Amino acid sequence: MSEIKINEGEEKRSLNFIEAIVEKDLVEGKNDGRIQTRFPPEPNGYLHIGHAKAICLDFGIAERYNGVCNLRFDDTNPVKEDVEYVDSIMEDIKWLGYSWHEIYYASDYFQQLFDFAILLIKEGKAYVDEQSADTIAKQKGTPTQPGIESPYRNRPVEENLDLFQRMQAGEFEEGRMILRAKIDMASPNMHFRDPIMYRIIKEHPHHRTGTTWKVYPMYDFAHGQSDYFEDVTHSLCTLEFEVHRPLYDYFIDLLQKEDNYRPRQIEFNRLNLTYTVMSKRKLLQLVKEGKVNGWDDPRMPTVGGLRRRGYTPQSIRNFIDKIGYTKYDGVIDVALLEHAIREDLNAKAQRVSAVIDPVKLVITNYPEGQVEMMEAVNNPEDTEAGTHPIAFSRELYIERDDFMEDAPKKFFRLSPGKEVRLKSAYIIKCTGVKKNDNGEIEEIYAEYDPVTKSGMPDSGRKVKGTLHWVSAEHSLPAEVRLYDRLFTVENPSEEKDKDFQELLNPNSLTILTHCRVEAELQKAKPFDNFQFQRIGYFNLDPDSKDGKLIFNRTVSLKQSF
Ligand code: ATP
Ligand code: MG
């Protein structure tokens, strides 16, 4: 029995079922107490929040138990893969706050896998099939019905060897033939029905191996062995791979040396979120067809999209902690994710004033040309965050919907004859309005009461409403982008009779171009988070250039639906 050493930085808490398995393995002294995991993305798209869940587990387990986690690119399909994706995946993992021990590529094992395939052919455990993909699929059978054996299944070893080598030499066209494992066409596990090991790909050079290879291993012939070659101790993956596990074990049995080591695969539930899709294929389609503005569009569930939207790594990690790891697939309410970012930003984000739908407010008894610097609290949740100055003057902007001419009794904002407090400034009383020819309000008039200045001894008079505001002259113009759900239904992937694109929310993006923000925001850097008081959490979009300010709404202040 050995004692488990948990990394000093880790808190003691109840374990998830995977940590419990890992601890048991440690107690039993498996793998000499070594912990090694890997995160194995295919570089065929950008990472999404589902991947973040896998990342937190793979890297988290290694951190907690003083092990290592490697990044392994599962790059077995050059048709869909690209270095652009390799780079973005590395960037996203780092942004989430994790670092890998080594970077590996499945393509590093192409020679070893090829040699292993040759060995299997020689042992009569693999054969070259010349039937079409269609025919092979039809012969698979069903879970209750055995499949049909290929007429090529029993061709001589020498012929298989010769054909496979000529496949690699580039003698045959793509799709002309494949290499299959010869296992059992009647197995109750469909993955054992002579699975495909290799296919010919000649038309697409590989991002790392160029045109060296004309045959490429299938994921199922590469993944388990890659784990094995790397000495992975715990291979964590999503539930759909549970039925593949026996096949991985079958191949490893054939590879195994005396030491009896094998990676232990443990499956957990995939993350699905309401009002979005998590399939890389569908996300790629949205990008390619211009339905969103790229992989990092703030409406996308990608790590890049969430980052641009204003999510912090901590909020994503907190969210993933909260939802946990189980053996049951389900769909998580996106409101939980939004709760996590509100909680994080409530503690961290600087409060500022911004008016997103401005209407002019003139304080008629305030001297023209006078400017007072008011003291605005940066974060009431954090006494050390201090204050910043905000200019007050005779002409201000407030939100158009903070004023109502014929207000009902319960309307505690501004209306003729009523009083409100202007946040960090004075109490004012509305005295009238000016309208244009269409009857729209152009200006609102009010008088201020000088003794009610915030922080002054006589400021204590109670009024029901407090409004945010900016000075007309001292504020800056800004664009604000408001985001809504990307899809109109909770679970777009469930609607089988509709193409998922028909379910896109046509109002998922609203751009407001006439907003005003306080001068403090001149200092904002791309991705900085703020709370626009009374409106929500926002961040500065990296598109902000040459003095143009663009803000994304990360999330409203309260859950709105
Ligand atoms: P593909 O359909 O291209 O295989 P994938 O989403 O499985 O897409 P991978 O790059 O193979 O993408 O995923 C890398 C790792 O992330 C895998 O271990 C996979 O199990 C895990 N993963 C992928 N999607 C999710 C998800 N929604 N929730 C949790 N883990 C996920
Ligand atoms: Mg996958």
Side-chain angles (χ1 to χ4, degrees):
M1 284 271 189
S2 37
E3 204 183 313
I4 302 164
K5 281 206 200 76
I6 295 176
N7 187 344
E8 281 176 9
E10 304 284 331
E11 50 181 319
K12 281 222 158 66
R13 52 169 170 78
S14 61
L15 305 181
N16 65 45
F17 81 97
I18 298 169
E19 290 163 338
I21 295 174
V22 168
E23 291 206 357
K24 188 158 179 286
D25 286 349
L26 283 172
V27 168
E28 289 173 3
K30 286 209 184 131
N31 303 303
D32 303 321
R34 205 169 53 79
I35 295 294
Q36 183 174 328
T37 59
R38 84 289 170 268
F39 173 63
E42 184 179 355
N44 62 353
Y46 281 61
L47 296 182
H48 53 55
I49 186 152
H51 295 113
K53 176 175 176 176
I55 289 170
C56 289
L57 184 66
D58 293 325
F59 287 91
I61 291 266
E63 271 178 14
R64 187 174 174 87
Y65 299 106
N66 300 297
V68 296
C69 179
N70 298 311
L71 172 59
R72 178 173 72 237
F73 289 103
D74 251 310
D75 54 349
T76 50
N77 183 3
V79 180
K80 293 193 174 155
E81 293 156 9
D82 200 286
V83 276
E84 173 195 349
Y85 302 131
V86 170
D87 294 341
S88 76
I89 287 169
M90 296 197 280
E91 184 191 340
D92 288 348
I93 295 172
K94 283 191 250 170
W95 180 75
L96 283 169
Y98 294 105
S99 39
W100 48 85
H101 182 64
E102 298 281 353
I103 297 186
Y104 295 123
Y105 294 84
S107 53
D108 294 339
Y109 313 128
F110 281 171
Q111 187 65 51
Q112 264 167 291
L113 291 167
F114 186 82
D115 294 344
F116 182 41
I118 298 273
L119 183 79
L120 294 186
I121 294 173
K122 286 184 178 159
E123 290 181 353
K125 294 190 172 90
Y127 62 98
V128 172
D129 197 340
E130 293 178 50
Q131 301 182 100
S132 71
D134 256 9
T135 311
I136 292 174
K138 281 195 192 110
Q139 291 172 345
K140 265 236 138 154
T142 67
T144 50
Q145 239 180 356
I148 298 166
E149 293 190 354
S150 162
Y152 297 98
R153 196 171 197 263
N154 295 315
R155 72 191 332 162
V157 168
E158 286 314 312
E159 205 175 305
N160 283 319
L161 268 181
D162 174 59
L163 285 173
F164 185 52
Q165 265 148 352
R166 286 164 60 198
M167 280 165 69
Q168 163 55 15
E171 282 188 35
F172 307 112
E173 292 316 301
E174 293 186 5
R176 177 68 187 76
M177 50 187 73
I178 53 163
L179 184 72
R180 291 177 81 174
K182 186 173 174 179
I183 310 179
D184 179 4
M185 287 305 288
S187 170
N189 184 333
M190 300 292 284
H191 300 286
F192 276 88
R193 295 188 182 178
D194 291 10
I196 300 173
M197 290 162 57
Y198 270 90
R199 74 269 205 223
I200 303 170
I201 299 176
K202 299 202 302 186
E203 308 301 330
H204 288 83
H206 188 276
H207 71 114
R208 301 192 78 233
T209 58
T211 53
T212 306
W213 296 96
K214 312 285 188 284
V215 290
Y216 286 88
M218 300 297 290
Y219 184 85
D220 273 358
F221 188 67
H223 191 81
Q225 289 100 294
S226 302
D227 282 345
Y228 181 79
F229 295 147
E230 287 168 11
D231 293 333
V232 167
T233 59
H234 295 84
S235 175
L236 314 174
C237 62
T238 35
L239 285 174
E240 71 273 21
F241 292 105
E242 193 164 6
V243 286
H244 296 243
R245 179 169 15 111
L247 179 63
Y248 301 167
D249 281 337
Y250 167 86
F251 286 129
I252 289 168
D253 280 341
L254 296 172
L255 264 177
Q256 208 166 34
K257 304 172 202 92
E258 306 81 71
D259 63 359
N260 234 11
Y261 148 77
R262 77 167 60 232
R264 176 167 190 176
Q265 177 171 309
I266 308 167
E267 305 86 9
F268 60 91
N269 61 333
R270 185 170 262 279
L271 169 60
N272 299 300
L273 269 187
T274 54
Y275 297 101
T276 194
V277 293
M278 214 68 93
S279 140
K280 275 195 271 186
R281 183 180 57 81
K282 288 179 182 165
L283 295 174
L284 177 66
Q285 222 174 310
L286 295 178
V287 173
K288 285 258 153 84
E289 294 175 22
K291 300 288 157 55
V292 293
N293 303 314
W295 283 100
D296 67 345
D297 185 302
R299 291 166 292 181
M300 293 278 272
T302 49
V303 173
L306 290 167
R307 172 170 56 230
R308 187 153 182 187
R309 175 85 170 246
Y311 276 79
T312 57
Q314 194 58 52
S315 67
I316 294 173
R317 291 171 64 153
N318 291 349
F319 163 73
I320 286 165
D321 246 11
K322 205 158 279 173
I323 59 172
Y325 298 85
T326 72
K327 280 281 188 189
Y328 308 96
D329 270 324
V331 185
I332 301 286
D333 190 337
V334 69
L336 270 179
L337 177 63
E338 294 174 345
H339 175 75
I341 187 62
R342 273 192 203 102
E343 202 171 49
D344 196 37
L345 292 183
N346 181 45
K348 291 178 187 162
Q350 183 184 0
R351 273 55 168 172
V352 291
S353 292
V355 176
I356 65 173
D357 182 17
V359 62
K360 180 84 65 79
L361 169 69
V362 183
I363 314 292
T364 50
N365 61 341
Y366 196 82
E368 250 174 270
Q370 181 169 317
V371 183
E372 261 177 287
M373 295 317 281
M374 301 301 188
E375 196 174 66
V377 173
N378 284 332
N379 187 345
E381 303 289 320
D382 175 3
T383 43
E384 285 176 15
T387 61
H388 68 271
I390 177 170
F392 184 86
S393 65
R394 180 182 155 90
E395 296 200 358
L396 310 171
Y397 288 113
I398 60 169
E399 299 288 349
R400 193 164 279 279
D401 71 1
D402 275 339
F403 177 81
M404 236 175 137
E405 232 185 335
D406 296 309
K409 250 193 151 160
K410 287 266 160 81
F411 187 80
F412 297 126
R413 292 169 273 167
L414 201 57
S415 57
K418 291 277 180 59
E419 281 192 329
V420 292
R421 173 170 289 283
L422 295 178
K423 179 93 186 162
S424 318
Y426 297 101
I427 291 177
I428 58 160
K429 184 177 195 168
C430 178
T431 54
V433 296
K434 179 173 123 194
K435 294 184 183 174
N436 67 15
D437 295 344
N438 299 325
E440 290 156 6
I441 291 170
E442 265 188 346
E443 284 183 351
I444 301 167
Y445 302 110
E447 289 179 354
Y448 85 116
D449 181 351
V451 303
T452 59
K453 185 169 174 177
S454 282
M456 292 296 155
D458 283 336
S459 70
R461 182 144 61 91
K462 286 265 180 297
V463 286
K464 279 253 158 84
T466 300
L467 305 188
H468 64 276
W469 52 273
V470 294
S471 162
E473 191 192 333
H474 304 90
S475 60
L476 309 165
E479 177 179 312
V480 162
R481 298 174 181 172
L482 304 176
Y483 303 101
D484 197 348
R485 310 292 194 226
L486 186 52
F487 289 92
T488 53
V489 297
E490 268 195 30
N491 195 349
S493 309
E494 284 283 281
E495 312 262 333
K496 296 294 176 219
D497 52 335
K498 284 208 180 103
D499 180 69
F500 79 105
Q501 294 216 19
E502 289 173 45
L503 304 165
L504 280 168
N505 176 5
N507 304 313
S508 58
L509 170 62
T510 307
I511 299 181
L512 306 176
T513 51
H514 293 96
C515 311
R516 306 288 307 189
V517 300
E518 65 166 290
E520 175 78 2
L521 286 165
Q522 188 99 65
K523 296 184 213 154
K525 293 187 296 301
F527 300 103
D528 280 354
N529 301 101
F530 299 94
Q531 185 195 94
F532 287 5
Q533 298 196 78
R534 300 180 60 232
I535 308 181
Y537 292 101
F538 290 76
N539 78 339
L540 189 72
D541 191 89
D543 273 354
S544 304
K545 278 191 193 89
D546 308 322
K548 185 177 178 191
L549 297 170
I550 302 171
F551 292 94
N552 300 303
R553 182 170 66 189
T554 311
V555 69
S556 56
L557 277 188
K558 294 204 179 76
Q559 191 183 334
S560 52
F561 36 99

